[in-house]
Amino acid sequence: MFAVRSLSQRFCYWVTGISLVALTACGSDVKEHAQTVEYQSVLTQALVPHDRYQKIQTYTGTIRSANTTGIGFELAGKLNTIWVDSGDLVKKGQILAQLDTDLLIAEKQQLEASLLQTQADIDLAISTLARTQKLKTQNYVSAQQLDETQQQVISLQANQKRIEASLSAAKLKIEKSTLTAPFDGVISQRYHNQGEVIALGSAVFNVVGNSQPVAYIGVPVDIAQQLTALQHVDVRVGKQTFTAQIAGISAEVNPTSRTVQIRIQLPESARAINGEIAYLVYQQDHITPGFWVPMSALTDGVRGLWNVYVAVKDTASVYKIERRDVEIIYTDEQQAYVKGAIQPNELIIVDGLHKVVVDQHVHLADNLAVEAL
């Protein structure tokens, strides 16, 4: 029994020794903690002061041809014939439509017959007057009879002129029963159909001229006062942008929109459809000192203000983050013009604001890139 116990003890000593050797070998691979502090790197931008900023405003209006009108007959009647329809190109003087002229033709014929009868009566009266004057010299007729004959001739001649005037009016009505194009253009719309009885002054077609397109755009009074006739401005129509010229500025304010209408002549090469939306892009300078910063450099503040994070130098290559209050004066899609507790040449953090906090120590990404080179 003593021999067995000694063997067992010796085995335990042997196992313990192997374990100590193994632990000693594992401990040799443990490394000491690094003594260098790793700081987060941030992207920064130096603040550049400006004494003004440019504000781009867009005002809307419509495109209209210089010649755009609804045309119709100058008298009422039944629409007998239509020669054109919407979308048709027309030339000046081309026949577009015609009214029924049967009644006017009958009236014209009646007046022509009356004129012939009156002319015959005048011829007879003139012959009678000549004989009466001859008899008067021989004292065969009285002065009263001579005067009556003369007045009869004058009355018939006046009646002849009245009939001639009526005949001219009838001919003019027949002529105006034919509707012609007032200028070269395109029929944009037809309002009546063949066989309809049209009221006096009712438009039958809307004609858009082929002349140079014009943009009519309303702007605020203060902007209108800064513009002048013949000034060149930028106008956008659809995907096209033109450098156009101001042809005229209205002298009154629209009572509904409270704007002043600007008439802008587009270049002859412009391809714009009547009624299309036009945009006046106007750039205005505002004298206000401030700084342009990216939108990504701004974060919410308190009491209506915004914040930017400024990297302030702490040691040779380490910077400390400070928060500054700023006020946004103007923004576009990518930048904001601000003023506040910031100074020229200070470094603001332009990206990753959610990864940093105030008083945190950081490296500048630009400096790290320079050191790497």
Side-chain angles (χ1 to χ4, degrees):
M1 183 180 294
F2 177 79
V4 172
R5 184 180 297 175
S6 298
L7 181 61
S8 176
Q9 288 177 349
R10 290 166 61 185
F11 177 77
C12 290
Y13 294 152
W14 179 75
V15 172
T16 303
I18 293 176
S19 300
L20 290 174
V21 172
L23 289 173
T24 303
C26 293
S28 63
D29 292 337
V30 177
K31 294 182 179 179
E32 295 182 356
H33 291 290
Q35 299 298 320
T36 305
V37 179
E38 295 292 337
Y39 294 107
Q40 183 174 341
S41 62
V42 293
L43 291 173
T44 60
Q45 173 183 305
L47 290 172
V48 178
H50 298 273
D51 61 350
R52 68 189 64 197
Y53 68 95
Q54 294 179 334
K55 185 177 182 180
I56 298 177
Q57 294 285 351
T58 302
Y59 305 100
T60 60
T62 56
I63 297 294
R64 293 205 302 269
S65 171
N67 290 327
T68 302
T69 184
I71 60 173
F73 296 98
E74 296 182 33
L75 59 156
K78 185 176 74 173
L79 190 55
N80 193 40
T81 308
I82 297 178
W83 301 102
V84 295
D85 207 338
S86 58
D88 290 344
L89 295 173
V90 295
K91 295 291 184 180
K92 182 177 180 179
Q94 179 180 338
I95 297 176
L96 307 180
Q98 193 168 23
L99 293 177
D100 184 12
T101 58
D102 290 345
L103 291 176
L104 293 175
I105 292 175
E107 180 182 351
K108 172 176 167 288
Q109 292 174 345
Q110 182 180 2
L111 290 171
E112 288 174 342
S114 297
L115 186 61
L116 289 175
Q117 180 179 355
T118 303
Q119 184 61 51
D121 293 341
I122 290 174
D123 293 341
L124 178 59
I126 290 175
S127 299
T128 303
L129 177 61
R131 288 194 298 270
T132 302
Q133 288 175 338
K134 185 177 180 181
L135 292 173
K136 179 64 175 65
T137 58
Q138 299 174 2
N139 293 323
Y140 286 114
V141 295
S142 62
Q144 177 68 26
Q145 290 176 325
L146 179 61
D147 293 340
E148 289 177 355
T149 305
Q150 289 176 336
Q151 289 301 320
Q152 185 180 8
V153 172
I154 294 173
S155 177
L156 289 171
Q157 288 174 338
N159 188 46
Q160 182 187 40
K161 291 185 179 298
R162 180 182 61 79
I163 295 174
E164 288 175 347
S166 298
L167 183 58
S168 297
K171 291 179 180 179
L172 187 59
K173 286 181 181 179
I174 293 174
E175 181 181 333
K176 289 186 176 294
S177 295
T178 300
L179 185 62
T180 59
F183 45 78
D184 295 350
V186 180
I187 303 295
S188 64
Q189 195 168 354
R190 175 169 63 91
Y191 299 106
H192 293 282
N193 298 318
Q194 186 172 343
E196 287 187 37
V197 176
I198 301 175
L200 180 66
S202 177
V204 180
F205 302 102
N206 193 61
V207 184
V208 178
N210 292 334
S211 56
Q212 199 169 354
V214 178
Y216 293 88
I217 299 175
V219 300
V221 176
D222 59 331
I223 299 299
Q225 292 173 344
Q226 299 175 26
L227 299 173
T228 58
L230 304 182
Q231 178 180 343
H232 287 85
V233 292
D234 292 331
V235 177
R236 188 174 75 250
V237 182
K239 296 182 180 180
Q240 308 173 84
T241 300
F242 308 104
T243 298
Q245 189 177 68
I246 296 178
I249 302 174
S250 176
E252 62 180 4
V253 176
N254 186 297
T256 303
S257 63
R258 306 306 302 169
T259 59
V260 178
Q261 189 179 75
I262 307 296
R263 180 166 51 91
I264 303 174
Q265 193 81 41
L266 298 184
E268 294 182 0
S269 59
R271 293 292 179 265
I273 299 176
N274 213 52
E276 197 170 358
I277 300 296
Y279 301 90
L280 169 63
V281 182
Y282 183 70
Q283 183 172 285
Q284 186 178 11
D285 286 343
H286 291 265
I287 309 299
T288 303
F291 304 87
W292 283 106
V293 300
M295 295 295 292
S296 59
L298 294 168
T299 184
D300 293 339
V302 294
R303 295 187 297 275
L305 296 177
W306 293 78
N307 295 142
V308 294
Y309 286 167
V310 178
V312 179
K313 196 166 188 178
D314 192 28
T315 61
S317 61
V318 178
Y319 288 76
K320 181 181 176 182
I321 295 178
E322 295 182 359
R323 181 173 56 216
R324 304 288 176 81
D325 291 333
V326 294
E327 176 187 354
I328 295 179
I329 301 174
Y330 173 71
T331 63
D332 56 23
E333 294 180 357
Q334 299 177 343
Q335 297 185 99
Y337 193 75
V338 301
K339 66 178 182 179
I342 47 179
Q343 299 297 327
N345 300 321
E346 284 191 313
L347 299 175
I348 63 168
I349 300 175
V350 297
D351 196 15
L353 300 186
H354 62 287
K355 299 179 181 179
V356 296
V357 294
V358 177
D359 293 334
Q360 180 180 346
H361 288 83
V362 295
H363 276 309
L364 302 187
D366 296 341
N367 290 347
L368 293 177
V370 171
E371 291 174 1
L373 294 174

